Amino acid sequence: MFTQDTINRLKSAETPFYYYDLQLLDDTLKTCRTAADQYGYHVHYALKANFNPKVLQAIQSVGFGADCVSGNEVKASIQYGFSKDKVVFAGVGKTDREINAALDLDIFCFNVESVQELLVINDLAGAKGKKANVAIRINPNVDAHTHHFITTGLEENKFGVNVWQLPDVAFTLRNCANLNLIGIHFHIGSQITDLDAFKNLCTRVNELSDWFAEQGFNIKVLNVGGGLGVNYHSPDEDNIANFAAYFKVFNDFLQVKAGQEVHFELGRALVAQCASLIASVLYVKNGKKKNFLVLDAGMTELIRPMLYQAYHQIENLSQQLITTHNSQFTNYDVVGPICESTDCFRKDVELPESVRGDLIAIRTAGAYGEVMASHYNLRDQVQSVYSE
Ligand SMILES: *Cc1c(COP(=O)(O)O)cnc(C)c1O
């Protein structure tokens, strides 16, 4: 819910922009931190969800580590004050340049996704006279019951090594003098709301942790990834993800051996609810079959609906305070200005009768929103506005 004061403030800024509720971000981070601390769990923030400087500062200040998927994210995380011994570097296509940069920065761990990558890191570390900490990203073949566009833990996905390749991984590790295996890593998908998927993950992690122990490896870190979902349908009633229930599943089902640490890599659940994309209605096009609200924001500012068929709640802030029994509701296809037919935030959105100049909020846009903005159609860089 936006207060009238907030709406008045938003009216004075030029649309489109992302509006960040920094208080909600802070509350979310503290809730997560408290829930994780209860079990001594380590949390790394997945920078790719949102690398807005103010967001990074807030997250860094609660003491989380960083989960990076590019060399530039590794550099940014350290620039923003994340401790280098809490930085992990994942990704299926790390370049030599990125690996070298991360070796120079002495990060905590590389999450390695193939046997060939192990050999490359071993060579590059050797050339620097260094020993690299690695964790093997294993594809556990667990169905996350999430949208197939964002599932990552099945054998058909490009990520990680498959279980049948593990003997080759063990053989390679024994022959790589510049690698130090510290952990096993998993990430089964994103926007996971069915906690049973994590329960199934725990069962697989337990089996694989035993397998590595039998092979004589000392696995210090069980990194179970991220993926906790948020409520896109009720951003006000359910504005902080249930971190306590999430961590409890791992506490209940993960077998942690003496000396082992459990690490998480949360992105979306930490940042999704703290931002909305704010746009203005440019034109109202009423047709025989369809009514369109044409906004001044489109897929260049928020591509999730077009890329993953993602749902976002859409609200007309200007009509919010007009008493509902007076206002008439109309179904609109809410679209952007970009020259693509897919540039539609959602079809048949029931909204109060809207007019040119109305302020529209597209909610739960803090994760995979601003970071995926593009300059397609030579659009301006989307701006940000922050709560005080
Ligand atoms: C994207 C990603 C995450 C974060 O996923 P969320 O669904 O945003 O929590 C964690 N780990 C890895 C390896 C990732 O690629």
Side-chain angles (χ1 to χ4, degrees):
M1 266 302 260
F2 291 83
T3 63
Q4 193 55 42
D5 278 354
T6 305
I7 293 172
N8 289 342
R9 209 178 134 229
L10 299 180
K11 276 183 184 157
S12 66
E14 194 181 338
T15 55
F17 56 87
Y18 276 88
Y19 173 68
Y20 284 91
D21 180 344
L22 297 176
Q23 186 59 51
L24 178 58
L25 174 61
D26 217 42
D27 292 346
T28 307
L29 296 173
K30 288 193 176 126
T31 306
C32 179
R33 176 87 222 206
T34 306
D37 283 352
Q38 196 183 338
Y39 307 113
Y41 289 162
H42 300 251
V43 175
H44 301 261
Y45 169 61
L47 262 81
K48 74 174 192 284
N50 192 321
F51 44 73
N52 178 297
K54 289 219 191 227
V55 171
L56 290 187
Q57 263 153 20
I59 295 177
Q60 180 277 128
S61 73
V62 294
F64 290 159
D67 168 41
C68 306
V69 290
S70 73
N72 287 345
E73 283 191 3
V74 170
K75 285 181 203 159
S77 67
I78 290 170
Q79 264 163 23
Y80 278 94
F82 288 89
S83 159
K84 65 183 182 183
D85 57 8
K86 291 184 186 171
V87 172
V88 301
F89 183 14
V92 70
K94 303 177 190 75
T95 65
D96 293 19
R97 195 153 70 100
E98 290 175 312
I99 294 167
N100 276 323
L103 286 167
D104 289 340
L105 290 166
D106 295 314
I107 62 164
F108 173 60
C109 188
F110 290 85
N111 291 341
V112 178
E113 310 226 5
S114 68
V115 169
Q116 199 169 27
E117 188 190 334
L118 282 175
L119 295 170
V120 169
I121 297 176
N122 184 56
D123 282 352
L124 296 175
K128 292 180 183 293
K130 292 196 173 191
K131 210 165 170 169
N133 282 344
V134 296
I136 301 297
R137 176 168 182 174
I138 303 169
N139 188 336
N141 204 23
V142 166
D143 192 344
H145 303 295
T146 186
H147 196 286
H148 62 278
F149 287 180
I150 52 174
T151 193
T152 56
L154 293 174
E155 280 181 0
E156 68 207 51
N157 298 123
K158 70 180 175 182
F159 300 102
V161 300
N162 292 311
V163 171
W164 47 269
Q165 294 166 308
L166 288 179
D168 196 10
V169 167
F171 176 83
T172 306
L173 285 165
R174 289 195 184 96
N175 289 292
C176 286
N178 311 312
L179 299 181
N180 180 27
L181 179 73
I182 64 163
I184 49 180
H185 171 234
F186 305 83
H187 178 66
I188 57 173
S190 201
Q191 183 53 19
I192 298 168
T193 49
D194 171 8
L195 293 182
D196 277 350
F198 295 115
K199 193 168 135 185
N200 296 337
L201 171 63
C202 288
T203 307
R204 298 294 283 143
V205 176
N206 294 340
E207 290 165 9
L208 291 160
S209 162
D210 286 346
W211 186 85
F212 275 90
E214 282 159 21
Q215 296 288 312
F217 290 102
N218 178 20
I219 299 295
K220 192 175 150 231
V221 174
L222 302 176
N223 182 333
V224 293
L228 177 61
V230 299
N231 194 335
Y232 282 92
H233 290 265
S234 303
D236 293 315
E237 299 73 34
D238 193 7
N239 62 359
I240 298 183
N242 194 342
F243 295 104
Y246 170 67
F247 290 126
K248 186 173 186 300
V249 170
F250 291 90
N251 183 60
D252 289 349
F253 295 100
L254 196 62
Q255 286 157 16
V256 181
K257 300 183 199 297
Q260 273 181 343
E261 296 174 355
V262 185
H263 290 230
F264 294 82
E265 300 170 338
L266 291 170
R268 186 191 310 275
L270 295 175
V271 295
Q273 298 289 18
C274 79
S276 297
L277 175 62
I278 308 293
S280 297
V281 174
L282 288 177
Y283 302 103
V284 185
K285 290 179 72 175
N286 290 327
K288 270 198 179 138
K289 285 191 175 154
K290 284 281 185 190
N291 300 305
F292 294 97
L293 278 193
V294 183
L295 307 186
D296 61 0
M299 61 192 283
T300 43
E301 285 69 41
L302 177 67
I303 201 175
R304 297 189 68 257
M306 304 79 180
L307 187 62
Y308 315 121
Q309 303 166 345
Y311 176 96
H312 286 265
Q313 179 135 308
I314 300 175
E315 296 165 10
N316 184 328
L317 300 181
S318 302
Q319 306 290 338
Q320 183 174 284
L321 293 189
I322 297 170
T323 49
T324 36
H325 65 269
N326 284 339
S327 53
Q328 230 179 313
F329 283 79
T330 305
N331 277 7
Y332 296 101
D333 284 11
V334 179
V335 303
I338 305 304
C339 296
E340 297 285 346
S341 295
T342 55
D343 186 34
C344 173
F345 288 109
R346 193 145 52 81
K347 294 189 167 163
D348 292 319
V349 185
E350 195 184 49
L351 287 171
E353 187 91 31
S354 303
V355 297
R356 174 174 162 83
D358 278 356
L359 213 54
I360 302 290
I362 303 177
R363 306 291 307 276
T364 320
Y368 309 106
E370 189 184 0
V371 282
M372 285 197 191
S374 79
H375 296 296
Y376 184 45
N377 288 196
L378 209 51
R379 299 269 296 170
D380 287 331
Q381 177 73 39
V382 64
Q383 300 298 304
S384 308
V385 172
Y386 305 91
S387 63
E388 280 138 334

